[in-house]
Amino acid sequence: MTVPLTLLGLLARGQPTHGYDLKRDYDSHFANGKPLPYGQVYSTLGRLARDGKVVGGEAEPGDGPDRKRYAITDLGRSEVMGWLSQTVEPEPHLQTVLFSKVVLALMLGEDAAGYLDAQRAAHLRRMRELTEIKRTGQTVDALLADYGLFHLEADLRWIELTSARLTALAQVVSDDQKQLGERQ
């Protein structure tokens, strides 16, 4: 998720808003257990102001340090509306970390099957966590948990398929290594 565009989207609701309130709204709707640091909120707002996408009002006295209300500009609104109208690029993940680790394990003579087993166990643990969130969470949490579960299920199918084809993959990797050695 892109923090600047999300903050612009929160500001596009219409009312000038304090950075503290933007952080609270971001954390409430988008953080999913990873709150946005205050420093990131204010540095992002500073860059958005520099780029003409938000304007900061005068500092207001209050409890603690002076606070500013930030408002979205026409340029900022145009950017966030353009972003919202764009589809997310489907990512076929033709080169993933999982695949790279399996191939490297084979190249190095390490236990690729053991790695796949450990990864399967890690995925299943995470799926249990997400299932609990889905069972006990609010609608937003449940939808995010479903999204994660679907991706983990696809990874698990790939892990199973790769485990079944590991001998064939090991042969391809071995043949490639031999050819590379012959060229050198």
Side-chain angles (χ1 to χ4, degrees):
M1 169 155 312
T2 170
V3 172
L5 287 166
T6 303
L7 292 178
L8 282 175
L10 290 171
L11 285 168
R13 295 177 294 180
Q15 295 289 41
T17 308
H18 293 114
Y20 173 86
D21 295 323
L22 287 170
K23 180 202 174 346
R24 182 199 63 222
D25 291 349
Y26 181 97
D27 289 351
S28 172
H29 297 290
F30 307 108
N32 198 28
K34 294 175 69 177
L36 194 60
Y38 282 105
Q40 187 175 359
V41 172
Y42 291 106
S43 64
T44 301
L45 287 170
R47 285 189 302 277
L48 291 170
R50 177 199 67 206
D51 296 342
K53 297 172 186 171
V54 301
V55 292
E58 295 296 318
E60 302 171 0
D63 294 335
D66 289 342
R67 299 168 17 148
K68 289 183 183 179
R69 290 185 189 268
Y70 293 87
I72 194 167
T73 64
D74 289 341
L75 176 63
R77 182 175 302 283
S78 175
E79 183 166 325
V80 76
M81 293 304 148
W83 178 62
L84 289 175
S85 69
Q86 296 171 355
T87 60
V88 175
E89 186 68 29
E91 297 180 22
H93 302 293
L94 293 179
Q95 182 71 9
T96 70
V97 173
L98 289 174
F99 179 77
S100 297
K101 285 186 171 189
V102 170
V103 171
L104 283 170
L106 291 170
M107 284 179 172
L108 300 172
E110 297 295 323
D111 183 12
Y115 168 72
L116 288 169
D117 289 342
Q119 191 62 55
R120 180 184 303 106
H123 271 58
L124 290 171
R125 273 192 306 277
R126 183 62 178 145
M127 289 177 82
R128 284 189 292 276
E129 293 167 1
L130 291 174
T131 300
E132 183 62 18
I133 290 170
K134 181 179 169 179
R135 190 179 69 73
T136 61
Q138 300 293 325
T139 302
V140 170
D141 295 330
L143 287 169
L144 288 170
D146 278 336
Y147 184 84
L149 284 166
F150 295 146
H151 282 272
L152 290 170
E153 286 172 358
D155 284 352
L156 280 176
R157 286 193 309 270
W158 181 86
I159 288 168
E160 294 303 323
L161 180 67
T162 303
S163 294
R165 294 180 177 173
L166 201 53
T167 301
L169 180 59
Q171 187 62 52
V172 169
V173 169
S174 175
D175 291 347
D176 288 348
Q177 291 288 95
K178 286 177 189 172
Q179 287 178 355
L180 185 61
E182 291 171 3
R183 283 188 238 152
Q184 293 178 348

